[in-house]
Amino acid sequence: DRSVSRGLGDVYKRQIIPKAHHWLILHGRYVCKARRPDCLNCYLTGVCRYYNRATGNSAPADSNKDIND
């Protein structure tokens, strides 16, 4: 889906996009688990619809985290 590719381009630096799909799989396996997401240890809360909906926040608690570091 091209919208996913465009979304990744907005979030990640261009040179790391080829590795990003592996990182997202691991992220889903260890951090954003289906039954119990670990939002407090997540670096994607700034772009996460679930986090904002679950917490009722319009802005994430820690939007200063930089996922490109």
Side-chain angles (χ1 to χ4, degrees):
D1 185 352
R2 295 219 182 253
S3 64
V4 173
S5 296
R6 282 190 293 261
L8 286 174
D10 293 343
V11 176
Y12 294 105
K13 292 179 182 175
R14 189 151 192 71
Q15 64 268 27
I16 64 172
I17 288 177
K19 297 178 184 178
H21 69 280
H22 291 292
W23 295 340
L24 290 172
I25 290 168
L26 293 173
H27 178 75
R29 187 176 293 161
Y30 297 109
V31 179
C32 192
K33 301 168 283 238
R35 291 184 182 205
R36 195 169 179 178
D38 189 7
C39 296
L40 295 177
N41 290 313
C42 180
Y43 285 91
L44 298 176
T45 56
V47 295
C48 180
R49 289 184 216 158
Y50 173 82
Y51 175 81
N52 289 319
R53 187 177 55 224
T55 61
N57 292 333
S58 59
D62 190 2
S63 58
N64 294 325
K65 292 180 183 178
D66 186 0
I67 61 174
N68 289 316
D69 285 342

